[in-house]
Amino acid sequence: MQEPIIEISDLSFAYPQQQKKALSHINLKVAAGEWLAVIGHNGSGKSTLAKLIDGLLTPQSGTIRVAGTELTPTTLWDIRKNIGMVFQNPDNQFVGANVEEDVAFGLENQGVPRNEMLKRVKKALVSVGMLNFAQHEPARLSGGQKQRVALAGVIALQPRIIIMDEATSMLDPEGRRDIIQLLKSLNKEKGFTVISITHDIEEASLAQRVVVIDDGTLVQNDKPAKVFQRGTALIESGLDIPFSEKLKNELKSYRIAVPQEYLTEKGMVDWLCQFISKK
Amino acid sequence: MSIHFEKVNYIYQADTPFRHQALKNLTVSIPTGSYTAIIGHTGSGKSTLLQHLNGLLKPSSGSVTVADKTITAVTKNKELGELRKHVGIVFQFPEAQLFEETVLKDIAFAPKNFGKTPAEAEQIAREMALLVGLPEEVLQNSPFELSGGQMRRVAIAGILAMKPDVLVLDEPTAGLDPKGRHEIMQMFAQLHSQKQLTIVLVTHQMDDVANYADHAIVLEKGEVIASTSPQEVFKDPQWLLKHHLALPKATRFAYELQQTGKVVFEKMPLTEKELAASLVDLLGKGGN
Ligand SMILES: Nc1ncnc2c1ncn2[C@@H]1O[C@H](COP(=O)(O)OP(=O)(O)OP(=O)(O)O)[C@@H](O)[C@H]1O
Ligand SMILES: Nc1ncnc2c1ncn2[C@@H]1O[C@H](COP(=O)(O)OP(=O)(O)OP(=O)(O)O)[C@@H](O)[C@H]1O
Ligand SMILES: [Mg+2]
Ligand SMILES: [Mg+2]
């Protein structure tokens, strides 16, 4: 792996007054420019991990290094400038009185000149389809509109690391597709590092690497195809099986011999076509 | 319980520069005992419509009738007490409906309020917590010190504990892990078929519409553009595209396969089961 932009060593954390650790002995490296998906069942510790990386929570033991610097109370503010986080509930992150101010907030904090700022805010709002709502109060938006505005905030900020905590869970199918497309291009063309916490198997399959968290421990760290090959065992860790695997299972119940290895949807179409041709 | 919207207009912030009409002259019925899905683009008015079902929002003009109660702009909140016992709404953001000190107390709130003893209410709360898959160790925690998916489960359990006749769900599976999503959707389906609950589900998951709903209402910019069966809604991909909607995965896959020219589906499948069945038919016949 090239120089990691995030390096987590032996990280453990428990919430105050809680017996059980929310995370234990996590080791993880994220390369600059990588797209990493974090998956795991409800309560497994995904959001906790995101908050630790962003310095919103302090670990009991272990270290986190971001862009070569160890995260400590003194380095926290500088480190945070590298990170744009979209929270699981957008209501928890709105600070502006209206949408435009809210999206501008992070830029203002970084001392971006006003003209440049206005341009970036406008562009970000256009990219999420919310320019018409620039003057609206964030609290008075629909659920999906709130998520779009929260995403616009990080898109305008252009941080080196984008952490999305189920940031697309309430988007309509079209909005979700557009925003994922946009993030993909930021990742590919501009080299942003993306950490995407998600329950959506399609979103996870976009990643170069998938990390599985189970009850506070990191249990798998591999390419999507490897992780998805686990088939029904995925369900046991609280995860979904990809569509193509589901279809394979249905076909198997009709005693049709299907390939063992993981197939993408495209792969499944090709295989079915071959199968039909051979008949 | 029969539900009917008659010429409903709803305007947010009426006398301000931000005036926004979220529902426009909307007339639609939700069939008694149906499992109705409401779909539509972001901001199309789905959550606004749902909040009319127990009078949390009242029409700016027009009327909403639920069973024998008619709600208009001038209906007083105190007239709505009885209705609110029968219509349970799970909100889009679960935090909006959590408020008690502990998870258990939060879930026990409705039964206690409706006259159960504290012990009975706690008993019901424990049953509901189990039903939605909440781990025992979080039951004494504050409902705000939970993971996102756990909060969602508490909100659902709290509404189930009301034992409503109409269950209204605003994207209830957002934030649930896939296993939880499957189990909880199955549980809703069971309540629907065994206890004849009317279910009104807002969702962006077309697979859920295909798998569970028997009626679908499509909203666009505050207006109803379709109120029909899921089969009808997913019949025409061009129409869906035009209205910014999507196909269920199995249907999308079937179209992809059809485009190779190797197969032709007589009837487009909506679910994986239907897809596999028609594939087996086709393969059995040796392809096209
Ligand atoms: N503020 C808090 N105080 C105490 N415990 C908490 C707090 N927030 C979360 N927890 C607990 O820590 C564990 C991990 O929570 P976390 O939010 O990291 O889960 P998650 O993987 O993000 O889950 P989800 O998929 O539901 O969002 C859970 O058991 C949860 O109950
Ligand atoms: N409290 C409010 N004050 C003012 N306008 C609002 C308020 N709530 C919603 N709106 C506006 O009304 C319209 C309909 O919102 P609604 O929440 O019903 O949409 P929705 O279909 O549920 O969307 P989503 O899929 O994003 O949840 C939106 O344009 C929204 O901005
Ligand atoms: Mg979380
Ligand atoms: Mg909504």
Side-chain angles (χ1 to χ4, degrees):
Chain A
M1 187 190 286
Q2 45 168 300
E3 179 66 13
I5 190 154
I6 298 176
E7 194 171 359
I8 297 171
S9 315
D10 201 27
L11 178 74
S12 295
F13 176 82
Y15 284 97
Q17 275 123 48
Q18 297 296 317
Q19 303 279 313
K20 212 172 136 189
K21 284 199 182 111
L23 290 173
S24 348
H25 307 290
I26 302 286
N27 289 293
L28 177 66
K29 285 181 189 163
V30 187
E34 187 174 11
W35 181 304
L36 177 79
V38 180
I39 61 182
H41 62 74
N42 288 141
S44 58
K46 305 177 299 295
S47 299
T48 305
L49 180 64
K51 288 178 191 159
L52 283 159
I53 296 173
D54 202 26
L56 293 164
L57 298 171
T58 316
Q60 265 92 38
S61 64
T63 57
I64 300 171
R65 299 176 77 84
V66 178
T69 308
E70 185 174 336
L71 183 64
T72 64
T74 40
T75 58
L76 174 67
W77 295 100
D78 278 332
I79 283 184
R80 237 180 235 169
K81 284 187 188 154
N82 293 299
I83 304 175
M85 173 122 143
V86 188
F87 290 90
Q88 198 163 359
N89 181 346
D91 282 321
N92 295 342
Q93 76 187 96
F94 292 134
V95 283
N98 65 39
V99 164
E100 190 178 55
E101 279 177 30
D102 197 83
V103 175
F105 181 77
L107 298 175
E108 225 161 4
N109 265 355
Q110 303 211 350
V112 175
R114 190 171 161 76
N115 263 342
E116 159 88 9
M117 183 175 89
L118 291 177
K119 250 199 295 191
R120 271 160 72 173
V121 168
K122 187 167 168 200
K123 202 168 154 219
L125 285 176
V126 170
S127 72
V128 300
M130 288 297 291
L131 188 63
N132 285 339
F133 291 82
Q135 302 306 319
H136 287 238
E137 206 182 310
R140 291 174 179 273
L141 295 173
S142 79
Q145 290 169 341
K146 285 179 182 173
Q147 279 195 331
R148 285 165 186 250
V149 171
L151 284 155
V154 292
I155 289 165
L157 199 57
Q158 307 201 343
R160 293 172 72 188
I161 304 164
I162 297 177
I163 304 180
M164 297 191 292
D165 194 353
E166 295 182 45
T168 63
S169 63
M170 287 179 191
L171 296 185
D172 52 281
E174 194 188 51
R176 175 181 278 220
R177 204 182 51 219
D178 291 352
I179 285 185
I180 287 182
Q181 204 53 47
L182 177 73
L183 287 161
K184 254 165 81 178
S185 70
L186 286 176
N187 170 250
K188 279 239 160 61
E189 287 151 28
K190 302 206 172 161
F192 290 70
T193 307
V194 174
I195 300 181
S196 145
I197 299 174
T198 183
H199 292 300
D200 186 283
I201 200 96
E202 286 186 47
E203 220 166 293
S205 65
L206 294 172
Q208 282 145 1
R209 200 153 54 101
V210 177
V211 159
V212 184
I213 302 198
D214 189 7
D215 272 336
T217 53
L218 199 157
V219 294
Q220 206 175 6
N221 182 352
D222 222 326
K223 292 203 169 63
K226 271 272 174 355
V227 174
F228 298 153
Q229 218 168 19
R230 279 170 59 207
T232 41
L234 281 169
I235 303 184
E236 278 320 300
S237 5
L239 307 170
D240 206 358
I241 0 180
F243 173 76
S244 48
E245 292 292 312
K246 281 188 192 158
L247 181 56
K248 273 204 294 201
N249 287 344
E250 290 291 341
L251 290 172
K252 259 195 247 171
S253 72
Y254 289 97
R255 301 172 167 276
I256 290 181
V258 293
Q260 282 289 313
E261 75 272 15
Y262 168 71
L263 292 179
T264 60
E265 272 183 54
K266 174 78 179 46
M268 192 72 189
V269 168
D270 292 345
W271 175 76
L272 277 166
C273 284
Q274 269 180 16
F275 193 92
I276 292 165
S277 301
K278 273 193 227 139
K279 280 250 162 182
Chain B
M1 279 192 162
S2 69
I3 299 172
H4 182 71
F5 284 66
E6 182 66 30
K7 298 202 176 87
V8 171
N9 289 295
Y10 186 79
I11 301 166
Y12 283 108
Q13 299 181 277
D15 302 315
T16 76
F18 296 110
R19 181 184 193 281
H20 179 83
Q21 181 157 2
L23 299 179
K24 292 175 191 156
N25 200 30
L26 184 141
T27 296
V28 74
S29 291
I30 293 172
T32 308
S34 70
Y35 193 133
T36 294
I38 301 184
I39 58 179
H41 194 258
T42 208
S44 57
K46 304 178 296 297
S47 299
T48 306
L49 186 152
L50 289 194
Q51 291 173 69
H52 280 76
L53 293 172
N54 72 353
L56 270 177
L57 296 178
K58 295 176 197 108
S60 305
S61 68
S63 64
V64 177
T65 305
V66 181
D68 54 2
K69 181 74 205 162
T70 295
I71 308 167
T72 67
V74 296
T75 304
K76 300 266 182 308
N77 276 338
K78 62 170 190 275
E79 298 169 42
L80 295 171
E82 195 50 35
L83 176 67
R84 287 181 180 163
K85 280 189 195 169
H86 296 287
V87 180
I89 305 188
V90 178
F91 292 123
Q92 192 163 2
F93 292 102
E95 284 92 328
Q97 65 196 103
L98 304 176
F99 57 96
E100 278 280 5
E101 261 168 69
T102 69
V103 168
L104 217 49
K105 281 188 187 165
D106 208 291
I107 306 174
F109 180 81
K112 223 166 112 186
N113 220 21
F114 298 163
K116 300 276 186 219
T117 66
E120 286 166 341
E122 185 179 319
Q123 182 56 32
I124 294 175
R126 285 190 181 277
E127 280 164 27
M128 296 303 143
L130 198 66
L131 199 60
V132 298
L134 277 166
E136 172 72 32
E137 71 242 30
V138 304
L139 298 186
Q140 299 300 338
N141 289 12
S142 152
F144 298 99
E145 293 178 349
L146 296 178
S147 81
Q150 291 167 342
M151 280 189 206
R152 170 74 67 193
R153 292 170 197 251
V154 177
I156 293 172
I159 296 303
L160 292 176
M162 282 174 59
K163 311 239 151 106
D165 300 313
V166 180
L167 183 58
V168 181
L169 305 161
D170 200 348
E171 298 189 41
T173 61
L176 289 183
D177 57 47
K179 185 167 178 234
R181 157 175 296 173
H182 181 75
E183 286 168 358
I184 286 179
M185 288 305 287
Q186 288 291 331
M187 185 233 329
F188 292 150
Q190 222 170 42
L191 288 173
H192 171 68
S193 62
Q194 291 175 357
K195 306 214 165 139
Q196 279 76 47
L197 251 71
T198 302
I199 294 188
V200 185
L201 168 78
V202 165
T203 183
H204 289 302
Q205 309 290 328
M206 298 305 141
D207 285 355
D208 286 346
V209 181
N211 279 315
Y212 298 106
D214 50 30
H215 189 75
I217 295 174
V218 185
L219 290 187
E220 185 174 82
K221 299 200 169 105
E223 295 180 73
V224 174
I225 58 167
S227 176
T228 181
S229 67
Q231 280 73 22
E232 276 297 306
V233 170
F234 295 127
K235 197 178 65 179
D236 182 356
Q238 292 310 317
W239 185 85
L240 290 166
L241 202 64
K242 185 171 152 225
H243 295 287
H244 312 281
L245 298 165
L247 287 167
K249 284 202 195 82
T251 319
R252 193 181 68 197
F253 185 86
Y255 275 108
E256 243 173 83
L257 202 57
Q258 199 159 271
Q259 257 168 14
T260 62
K262 302 253 187 206
V263 282
V264 179
F265 289 93
E266 272 164 40
K267 185 169 162 264
M268 272 307 175
L270 295 190
T271 63
E272 281 126 26
K273 279 202 166 31
E274 288 176 19
L275 173 61
S278 20
L279 281 174
V280 168
D281 256 9
L282 289 164
L283 296 174
K285 285 187 217 137
N288 59 345

